[in-house]
């Protein structure tokens, strides 16, 4: 057996007093940690409980009406209807969203005229059309459509005469609608021609 060149250390031979001092020190550390821990735990639990209460206490955000299941006042015969575009927003300031849909007949070719419709959905009821902003009978096409800050905007393309081919509208109007009082009021930008110089 080889002996160590290091001097014999006194603390390597643990006595009961040493173990008692170590146990007392450990108990003091655990007790101190226990006194500090409940306040932090209580604060975390309170914040968590507050967050859950706030989420459960507030009414869930209402979903905007889905235009997919709505029958629009548009006669398309056997061709059926198609929702070309839609956007949601709170248009009347009541805190609930409405949906605005651009709808046209589902023609296989050509550019059928579009309609713009406003949908609402009372609690527990099916979505329904409450306003027609552009009637397909006006023979207009809708582009650059959107809803922002309670306003509906669209570019309306039309035809100056029946001689203009239906593929190539030659009139253009920028329009916006805003809910005022009890109706949607239309504001139109200057009408222009989309015809190109030859």
């Amino acid at each position: 057996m080889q002996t160590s060149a290091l001097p014999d250390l006194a603390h390597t031979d643990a006595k009961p007093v040493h173990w008692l001092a170590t146990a007392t020190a450990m108990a003091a550390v655990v007790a101190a940690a226990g006194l500090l821990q409940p306040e932090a735990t209580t604060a975390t639990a309170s914040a968590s409980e507050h967050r859950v209460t706030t989420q459960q206490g507030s009414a869930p955000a209402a979903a905007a009406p889905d235009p997919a299941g709505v029958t629009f006042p548009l006669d398309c015969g056997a061709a059926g209807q198609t929702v070309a575009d839609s956007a949601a927003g709170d248009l009347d300031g009541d805190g609930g969203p409405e949906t605005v849909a651009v709808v046209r007949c589902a023609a296989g070719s050509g550019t059928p005229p579009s309609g713009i419709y406003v949908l609402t959905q009372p609690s527990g009821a099916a979505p329904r059309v409450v306003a027609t902003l552009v009637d397909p009978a006006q023979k207009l096409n809708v582009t650059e459509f959107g809803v922002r800050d309670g306003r509906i905007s669209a570019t309306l393309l039309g035809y100056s005469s029946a001689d203009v081919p239906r593929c190539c509208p030659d009139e253009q109007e920028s329009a916006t609608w805003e809910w005022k009082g009890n109706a949607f009021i239309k504001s139109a930008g200057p009408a222009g021609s989309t015809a190109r110089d030859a």
Side-chain angles (χ1 to χ4, degrees), residues 20-127:
L20 183 60
T22 302
T24 304
M26 289 297 292
V29 169
V30 170
L35 289 175
L36 295 176
Q37 188 65 25
E39 289 179 25
T41 302
T42 302
T44 304
S46 296
S48 176
E49 288 168 8
H50 177 68
R51 187 169 49 250
V52 170
T53 302
T54 301
Q55 290 174 349
Q56 290 175 352
S58 63
D66 184 1
V70 176
T71 301
F72 294 91
L74 174 62
D75 184 17
C76 296
Q81 303 174 350
T82 185
V83 177
D85 203 352
S86 67
D90 182 6
L91 301 175
D92 57 4
D94 68 351
E98 287 78 31
T99 298
V100 184
V102 177
V103 184
R104 65 179 181 219
C105 292
S109 62
T111 310
S114 301
I116 300 179
Y117 303 97
V118 179
L119 307 174
T120 63
Q121 186 170 10
S123 180

